[in-house]
Amino acid sequence: MTIAAESLEEHQTFRDELASVGSDGRRRWVYARQPSGRFYRARTMVSWGLIGFLVSAPFIRINGLPLVLLNVVERRFALFGLLFWPQDFFLVVLLALTGIVGLALSTVAVGRVWCGWLCPQTVFLEMVFRKIEFVIDGTAAQQLRRDRGSWTAGRVWRAALKHAIFFALSFGIANLFLAYVIGTESLGRIITTPPHEHLVGLLAITIFSGLFYAVFARFREQACVLVCPYGRVMSSLIDRRTITVTYDTVRGEPRQRMTHGPAPRPAGGDCVDCHQCVTVCPTGIDVRNGPQLECVACTACIDACDEVMTKVGRPTGLIRYDSHDAMQGLARRGLSPRIVACAAVWLALVMTVTILIAVRRPVDTLILRQAGSLFATTSDGDIVNFYTVQLFNRTAVDRPFAIVATWPVGARVTALGPLAHVQAHGLLDTRLMVSVPASSLSGAASPLRFEVRVAGTAPQIIESSIVALVKAGAAGSGE
């Protein structure tokens, strides 16, 4: 067993319990020190860009549509100017699958970069709520001393101010969340009209406000450690060649505290066991113990360690972005089979989704026989069937259209509702009646062909059937 391995064996007790949960099952509050350094500055810039996008996306319009709309209530989705109706659900599924495979690809290649850099939970918690907490409550050490002390007037007003701001921010995030679900227009009506006129919307905003407040003010890192499935599922994709936040055991072990001077010690590694990487970790773990489920790859430990290494006159990068193989001095072997496989699947999905979106009709039509009705017979012997029609307009302009029956011979279409044009980004539900001479029918269920003619597009042919209890060439009685 090597010296590094022997040193690590002494720290294996971390696997017996979570860093944020004590051995008795009680919550162990994490007082994470505020990071500083190049990675933290980079994360701050990325986070503010993401927050700007998240806040503005429901209000930005492309082709008259929100940049992002996830209206699951009306089954209406918009993404970067593209509209998806219920019959496009397979495309929504493919888009979601593409995103999931993209996350898997990024995890295989560079670890949990999503968790530490892009996840809205991390972005809002670390770059908004914790920053406010540092301003009001002071440093992590000050927060710890204050929370373990008595309730003084200063502690009361600080707590009241902090939690009031936290709830106000949570209320704003809840409204933003609803803007993604129901659209800014519906949200505006809820805000501007009396509460008794939209009790359901008010209840939804209240519930989500309380939920977000609980997550950001109290639950915090537990959402990543105990609730979020991403860490458990995606962490299984990390292998020895994945580039992620890693502690260099070869260089750092055995650990030995420095008493004075920057000179290297012949019997010890570069790790001075200062625990700065632990105090800055938002989930309370010790990255030196190796890969752990709780690590969100936020890079705070890299900044903390680099700062200490600079102060003691040793090279930075004791904790760094690198692979386990590289830490052991093994040569890099290019892309791993996992990366190649995930990239191939992701590219195939991207190409498939792109092609399917490109060949979609600007206006799509769905015609079905009316449920619960059979047929009727007119006074002149014609057979009549009823149909429901749905037209989905994916474009930003009104579209006039016409529906005609091209088979069988003599079939006539009569509108039983609006059947002239469909509004921009609109859904038109209507009905129509088809009458056919009995002599044109070939049996109990005869083929029926519709042609939907929409201005500016090629005709859409829809095959259906017309029902009648008749023999070929003979008239039947209605029901």
Side-chain angles (χ1 to χ4, degrees), residues 59-331:
F59 302 93
I60 298 175
R61 291 291 190 273
I62 297 180
N63 295 329
L65 294 169
L67 191 64
V68 179
L69 176 67
L70 306 173
N71 192 336
V72 294
V73 178
E74 298 178 359
R75 295 173 298 170
R76 187 170 178 262
F77 305 89
L79 186 64
F80 299 103
L82 299 175
L83 181 62
F84 299 92
W85 286 105
Q87 79 273 26
D88 297 319
F89 186 71
F90 71 99
L91 283 176
V92 176
V93 172
L94 284 176
L95 283 170
L97 185 60
T98 303
I100 292 173
V101 175
L103 283 177
L105 174 59
S106 67
T107 305
V108 171
V110 291
R112 292 171 61 179
V113 66
W114 165 263
C115 292
W117 291 72
L118 304 174
C119 175
Q121 150 75 10
T122 302
V123 168
F124 279 108
L125 177 60
E126 299 298 327
M127 298 302 167
V128 179
F129 287 85
R130 281 200 196 273
K131 285 181 180 290
I132 293 172
E133 191 169 56
F134 287 132
V135 171
I136 297 175
D137 280 344
T139 64
Q142 291 172 327
Q143 294 174 30
L144 176 60
R145 287 194 298 269
R146 188 176 293 112
D147 288 352
R148 290 183 177 178
S150 59
W151 280 94
T152 63
R155 182 180 176 184
V156 170
W157 78 258
R158 288 175 187 273
L161 176 61
K162 181 180 73 173
H163 288 283
I165 294 175
F166 279 6
F167 188 82
L169 286 172
S170 300
F171 181 75
I173 295 173
N175 279 270
L176 179 64
F177 176 78
L178 283 182
Y180 277 96
V181 175
I182 64 177
T184 54
E185 297 85 357
S186 299
L187 179 62
R189 287 192 294 269
I190 292 177
I191 294 175
T192 56
T193 55
H196 68 271
E197 296 182 9
H198 51 80
L199 292 178
V200 174
L202 181 61
L203 178 62
I205 290 177
T206 304
I207 291 175
F208 282 114
S209 297
L211 177 63
F212 288 126
Y213 170 76
V215 169
F216 293 121
R218 186 66 188 175
F219 204 50
R220 297 198 163 185
E221 78 283 345
Q222 302 289 67
C224 304
V225 176
L226 301 178
V227 176
C228 180
Y230 175 81
R232 290 164 173 76
V233 175
M234 294 303 177
S235 292
S236 63
L237 298 176
I238 296 176
D239 59 16
R240 300 173 62 91
R241 298 167 65 179
T242 300
I243 297 174
T244 187
V245 177
T246 310
Y247 167 66
D248 192 341
T249 56
V250 175
R251 174 185 155 190
E253 300 296 330
R255 308 169 196 173
Q256 182 176 338
R257 287 187 177 275
M258 173 170 284
T259 56
H260 60 82
R265 300 152 300 173
D270 278 353
C271 179
V272 297
D273 206 19
C274 62
H275 281 268
Q276 295 301 299
C277 58
V278 180
T279 61
V280 81
C281 178
T283 59
I285 65 170
D286 190 340
V287 70
R288 298 172 299 175
N289 290 328
Q292 297 163 68
L293 184 66
E294 300 96 317
C295 178
V296 295
C298 68
T299 67
C301 55
I302 297 180
D303 285 331
C305 187
D306 283 352
E307 183 179 0
V308 172
M309 290 295 103
T310 300
K311 288 180 179 179
V312 300
R314 293 178 183 170
T316 59
L318 181 59
I319 303 174
R320 63 183 182 270
Y321 262 124
D322 213 335
S323 67
H324 183 274
D325 280 356
M327 291 288 187
Q328 302 301 316
L330 300 177

Side-chain angles (χ1 to χ4, degrees), residues 87 111 141 160 183 202 233 244 258 269 277 300 310 328-329 375 377-378 384 394 407 416 428 442 456:
Q87 79 273 26
L202 181 61
V233 175
T244 187
M258 173 170 284
C277 58
T310 300
Q328 302 301 316
F375 69 95
T377 305
T378 63
V384 174
R394 301 188 180 97
W407 184 265
L416 300 179
L428 176 63
S442 57

